[in-house]
Amino acid sequence: MKLFRRAHRRAPSYGPESTDPVLLTAVAAGEAEALEILHRRHAPWLRARLNYRCSDPDQVDAALQETFLAVWRNAGSFTPRPGDTDAGAWLWTIAIRQLISQLRRRANRWISDIEAEPYETIGDASAEDTVLLNIEHGPLGAALHTLSPELRAAIQATVLDGLTVREAAQILQIPEGTVKTRVMRAKARLREALTS
Amino acid sequence: MSGWHLTPAQAHDYAARRSDEITAMSVEAHLMHCAPCRSLLPADESWLADSWASLRDVVDRPRRGPVETLLASVGLRAETAKLLAATPRLYQAWLVSTVVVLGAALLAAHLLPRGSLMFFFLAPVVPLVGVALAYGRGVDPAHTLASVTPMAGQRLLFLRTCAVLVPALLLCTGAALMLPHTTTAWDAVFWLLPSLTLVAGSLLLGHWIHLSAASGIVGVLWLAVLGLVSLSGQTVPVGVFAPQAQACWGAALAALVGLLLLRVRMA
């Protein structure tokens, strides 16, 4: 009955130019058009980036689908940092996790699904990681060139993609311990290259 | 961030998976925070449209309400659960009037001498009215549409009857519990068997005449009999609900349900 139905949260007014947090508030209030704007804005780059992690376009598309469905269901849980008008990092965190569970579902059906961890933005990165995220500036690019592909992949998964060690192990298909040692070795190598 | 941004060529290379690893890594680190550069990536319009179309299929699906979820978790099929959950919404006016009528009966019972009589009269009729309004031409605005669906007929009639009976019986029980002389659980459900018997009777009668007319006839009969009994003054109408009478009601209900099942089998 209408009387007892939960009152709908009021959707803010939004348009194609609105910022991500405004759109996400609208999505949380059940506005499908706001999700369409977000989809149009973010799906292309998320797809391009996921394509570098998985060569099967069907799986990438399925993961993207799940990503935006998760956004549809959990839009209310997005809490922007003050002054941040961009949900790119949050969306990427969801997308890469969806891709991992997609791959796990297809490849290893016998491994039971692990409880999904809550979505968090890549927030409190260490100073070292912050340096790493500024690859485009300075000599870091050259330093990364000196790393072997294995070490680079470990750094990419843990720092750039913001994965936990366990998730990185799943997408790289190596044991967790190996991920840890490779990340440590890679960071040591980079530090050496950058300070010498 | 600083002045470093993607060139269109870099963006195209990245989107086409032609970037080398290091460039890809710096592009990715940059894209995470730079919306203008993200929009440099070429968007595949037809892919975007397809992707959104399949998303919208899921997003546009109405969310299931708590009643429907509960019914589905009990093991009902999805469409049956949806139908049952939606039916009371069709008869909101009836639900509201039921509450009003029962409230008036309660008020009478508490304020007037022999006021509980009103409740005895009404309790079995309230579910009957709901059933009368549950199915058929004239009462259901969508009947012409519903009657050509595979669900129409007996199945829809019985499903709707259940959907109406449950809230009606719950409301009546609640009202009976608030009557002034209710002390035992028995006092709260004395009207249940007569009520179900009336409903079964009208459903059976509904095979030959319009369901609303059938319910009307049964309801008027009930009120007339009860009125006569209470006017004659000798037997208190409570006698109609006495334990011996309950046995008769039970037998009548069983017979009527048996006949109904037989009719359904034959049909």
Side-chain angles (χ1 to χ4, degrees), chain A residues 39 45 52-53 86 137, chain B residues 2 14 17 28 38 45 51:
Chain A
H39 180 261
W45 75 270
Y52 278 84
R53 306 295 184 279
D86 191 282
H137 314 296
Chain B
S2 74
Y14 176 73
R17 291 191 68 181
E28 283 166 2
R38 259 182 237 152
E45 286 299 330
S51 168

Side-chain angles (χ1 to χ4, degrees), chain A residues 38-57:
Chain A
L38 279 173
H39 180 261
R40 166 159 289 276
R41 189 180 290 174
H42 291 287
W45 75 270
L46 287 172
R47 181 190 186 208
R49 188 163 172 185
L50 287 179
N51 271 332
Y52 278 84
R53 306 295 184 279
C54 169
S55 54
D56 180 351

Side-chain angles (χ1 to χ4, degrees), chain B residues 210-267:
Chain B
H210 197 278
L211 181 66
S212 308
S215 306
I217 291 172
V218 173
V220 168
L221 263 178
W222 162 260
L223 289 178
V225 168
L226 215 61
L228 281 180
V229 169
S230 59
L231 276 184
S232 65
Q234 281 121 14
T235 42
V236 206
V238 179
V240 180
F241 301 108
Q244 301 90 319
Q246 293 284 353
C248 296
W249 285 118
L253 178 62
L256 285 171
V257 169
L259 279 174
L260 267 179
L261 289 178
L262 208 65
R263 288 278 327 177
V264 172
R265 276 284 164 77
M266 309 254 285

Side-chain angles (χ1 to χ4, degrees), chain A residues 39-117:
Chain A
H39 180 261
R40 166 159 289 276
R41 189 180 290 174
H42 291 287
W45 75 270
L46 287 172
R47 181 190 186 208
R49 188 163 172 185
L50 287 179
N51 271 332
Y52 278 84
R53 306 295 184 279
C54 169
S55 54
D56 180 351
D58 288 343
Q59 299 219 32
V60 168
D61 282 359
L64 264 179
Q65 187 87 358
E66 289 301 316
T67 304
F68 282 93
L69 282 181
V71 170
W72 175 244
R73 295 192 191 106
N74 306 315
S77 71
F78 173 71
T79 41
R81 268 165 284 168
D84 195 357
T85 57
D86 191 282
W90 187 69
L91 287 170
W92 169 252
T93 322
I94 300 177
I96 185 70
R97 296 221 165 125
Q98 293 292 352
L99 181 68
I100 289 171
S101 63
Q102 191 71 29
L103 294 173
R104 194 168 53 204
R105 223 174 295 151
R106 290 275 175 92
N108 311 319
R109 280 174 204 277
W110 57 86
I111 297 181
S112 62
D113 252 333
I114 305 162
E115 192 63 30
E117 282 150 74

Side-chain angles (χ1 to χ4, degrees), chain B residues 47-236:
Chain B
W47 174 84
L48 254 181
D50 284 352
S51 168
W52 172 246
S54 52
L55 253 175
R56 199 186 43 207
D57 282 349
V58 186
V59 166
D60 275 352
R61 227 173 275 161
R63 297 177 191 205
R64 293 203 296 180
V67 178
E68 203 182 326
T69 317
L70 180 77
L71 288 172
S73 69
V74 170
L76 287 176
R77 277 189 297 168
E79 60 267 25
T80 313
K82 193 177 277 307
L83 183 73
L84 284 177
T87 302
R89 231 165 254 179
L90 283 174
Y91 311 111
Q92 259 178 34
W94 167 76
L95 271 177
V96 172
S97 61
T98 300
V99 172
V100 171
V101 163
L102 288 176
L106 273 181
L107 213 63
H110 280 277
L111 298 181
L112 303 174
R114 283 176 42 116
S116 346
L117 264 186
M118 188 169 163
F119 183 80
F120 297 157
F121 275 83
L122 285 176
V125 177
V126 162
L128 192 64
V129 173
V131 171
L133 294 177
Y135 187 79
R137 191 172 294 115
V139 288
D140 181 359
H143 183 73
T144 13
L145 295 179
S147 60
V148 292
T149 59
M151 243 200 184
Q154 303 289 350
R155 213 167 116 62
L156 187 58
L157 173 63
F158 288 130
L159 278 175
R160 290 237 176 124
T161 306
C162 290
V164 167
L165 274 182
V166 169
L169 297 181
L170 284 178
L171 282 172
C172 283
T173 312
L177 281 174
M178 286 187 277
L179 279 178
H181 305 299
T182 306
T183 43
T184 60
W186 172 248
D187 285 336
V189 293
F190 61 88
W191 50 271
L192 185 63
L193 278 176
S195 170
L196 288 177
T197 312
L198 292 187
V199 169
S202 78
L203 283 181
L204 191 64
L205 207 55
H207 278 291
W208 294 284
I209 56 175
H210 197 278
L211 181 66
S212 308
S215 306
I217 291 172
V218 173
V220 168
L221 263 178
W222 162 260
L223 289 178
V225 168
L226 215 61
L228 281 180
V229 169
S230 59
L231 276 184
S232 65
Q234 281 121 14
T235 42
V236 206

